[in-house]
Amino acid sequence: MPKRTRRELDWEDVRELLIALPGVEYQPPGPGVFRNGVIRANKRLLAYPVRGRVQEEAGELVWLRTGQMEKAALLHEDPATFFVTPHFSTSPGVIVRLWRVDEQHLRELIRDAWYGVASKRMRAELEQGQELEQGQE
């Protein structure tokens, strides 16, 4: 196994990055299908930890929403990081091996997932927040 030189990402990193975006809601763990917690925007799934059905000893796995073209590209270009199982094959997302993805790429994937479900109001809220941040610099 290769030596890791950076901090390994986990579900908490994904959760923090997503809930920082407008209109994103975290549903904590509970009984039912999403017993490990789930993140939604506009009532649509964005991400959840994959535990139980798919196990890997190396680190955490997260299902993350993608568009169909992006899903195909990720699976083709980097199958060591992104994959699906038969159970997830028709879902609008991929499973991410978090220990293999760097934080910048994860941020881009999260932003793309959010844009895929965000309303015009949510996008305007994000743009307004970015303008405020730039004005403070």
Side-chain angles (χ1 to χ4, degrees):
M1 177 175 272
K3 183 178 176 185
R4 296 184 179 128
T5 58
R6 61 178 167 76
R7 185 181 71 81
E8 199 170 287
L9 298 170
D10 61 19
W11 167 241
E12 287 304 311
D13 295 311
V14 173
R15 190 176 71 80
E16 288 176 17
L17 290 169
L18 274 165
I19 62 174
L21 295 167
V24 173
E25 299 174 350
Y26 171 65
Q27 179 183 342
V33 177
F34 298 109
R35 63 186 175 273
N36 297 310
V38 62
I39 299 175
R40 300 177 190 271
N42 263 353
K43 300 179 183 177
R44 298 175 75 189
L45 288 174
L46 286 176
Y48 58 89
V50 178
R51 298 180 181 141
R53 293 183 187 178
V54 179
Q55 292 291 326
E56 295 205 11
E57 293 184 25
E60 289 192 49
L61 303 171
V62 170
W63 178 90
L64 187 64
R65 177 176 287 280
T66 62
Q68 288 299 326
M69 290 178 61
E70 183 179 20
K71 176 180 179 176
L74 291 169
L75 294 173
H76 176 74
E77 294 169 10
D78 191 359
T81 304
F82 307 99
F83 72 104
V84 294
T85 63
H87 175 77
F88 292 97
S89 66
T90 59
S91 74
V94 295
I95 301 171
V96 182
R97 291 178 174 106
L98 288 176
W99 67 94
R100 293 195 47 89
V101 68
D102 66 60
E103 187 172 351
Q104 183 59 39
H105 192 190
L106 181 63
R107 286 178 182 275
E108 292 169 11
L109 292 166
I110 284 172
R111 183 64 61 101
D112 290 347
W114 180 83
Y115 268 103
V117 301
S119 66
K120 288 181 183 180
R121 180 194 54 78
M122 291 164 63
R123 290 177 185 195
E125 189 177 331
L126 178 68
E127 290 170 11
Q128 183 180 29
Q130 288 174 341
E131 288 172 7
L132 290 173
E133 286 177 10
Q134 290 173 356
Q136 293 175 356
E137 292 177 358

